[in-house]
Amino acid sequence: QTSTVQVGIVDPVSYVITFGPSLEYNPNVPYSFTPVIARLSDSQFALCYYSDTSAVARVGTVTSGTLNIVLSNVVAFADNSNYDVMFGVVGLSDSLFLALHYNADATRTTPVNYVGPLQATIINVHSAGANTAISLGSSFTSTTAIVSGFMFGTGLSNSSAVVCFSDYNTGGG
């Protein structure tokens, strides 16, 4: 399997979609399941995926006209050495996005151990055209919200987001 990303453009009159060239984003790993993607601007997106023993983030910049994609550096936001990370991504602006994640708490045995505290890590985007770089910002770990399963979110503004998940503490999951 190959982990690829590509851009599509929808013609507003005919509603026909045309795709640009595909780009392999995780070439050193035989597969990358459950990638997540979020819009940052008209020409940039955030991409999060598993890369062997880490959950990582990148930013893609799309070249207008050709639909070519240039990817930023890779930044690991969560350890996945036990293959127990679940994650989501929230686009906020062209300079900021959130990586939502949790590492499963191996000490939990009832009913399953695939739950863990909700964490959010800010990823800073430093744009210079095609030379975009990203870096880790601050992180938050909830002391009350215990996530079970997937988590999703969307930006409400450049500095706020709404997230949804099953909270194991309230019987969810």
Side-chain angles (χ1 to χ4, degrees), residues 100-162:
L100 305 172
H101 54 99
Y102 73 88
N103 284 76
D105 183 351
T107 63
R108 293 182 183 272
T109 57
T110 308
V112 294
N113 65 349
Y114 289 103
V115 298
L118 174 67
Q119 299 174 63
T121 300
I122 294 172
I123 311 287
N124 298 301
V125 181
H126 314 282
S127 292
N131 298 320
T132 298
I134 61 174
S135 62
L136 293 176
S138 62
S139 290
F140 164 80
T141 301
S142 175
T143 57
T144 57
I146 304 299
V147 179
S148 171
F150 294 100
M151 64 212 79
F152 302 94
T154 190
L156 296 176
S157 71
N158 288 348
S159 61
S160 65
V162 61

Side-chain angles (χ1 to χ4, degrees), residues 18-76:
T18 304
F19 284 95
S22 63
L23 177 66
E24 188 173 354
Y25 64 83
N26 199 14
N28 299 324
V29 177
Y31 62 91
S32 179
F33 58 96
T34 321
V36 292
I37 195 165
R39 179 187 186 275
L40 300 179
S41 70
D42 287 349
S43 62
Q44 288 187 310
F45 59 90
L47 172 66
C48 296
Y49 58 92
Y50 294 108
S51 181
D52 197 21
T53 59
S54 296
V56 300
R58 296 178 94 168
V59 166
T61 302
V62 179
T63 305
S64 181
T66 65
L67 303 183
N68 288 324
I69 299 169
V70 177
L71 293 174
S72 72
N73 58 307
V74 175
V75 171

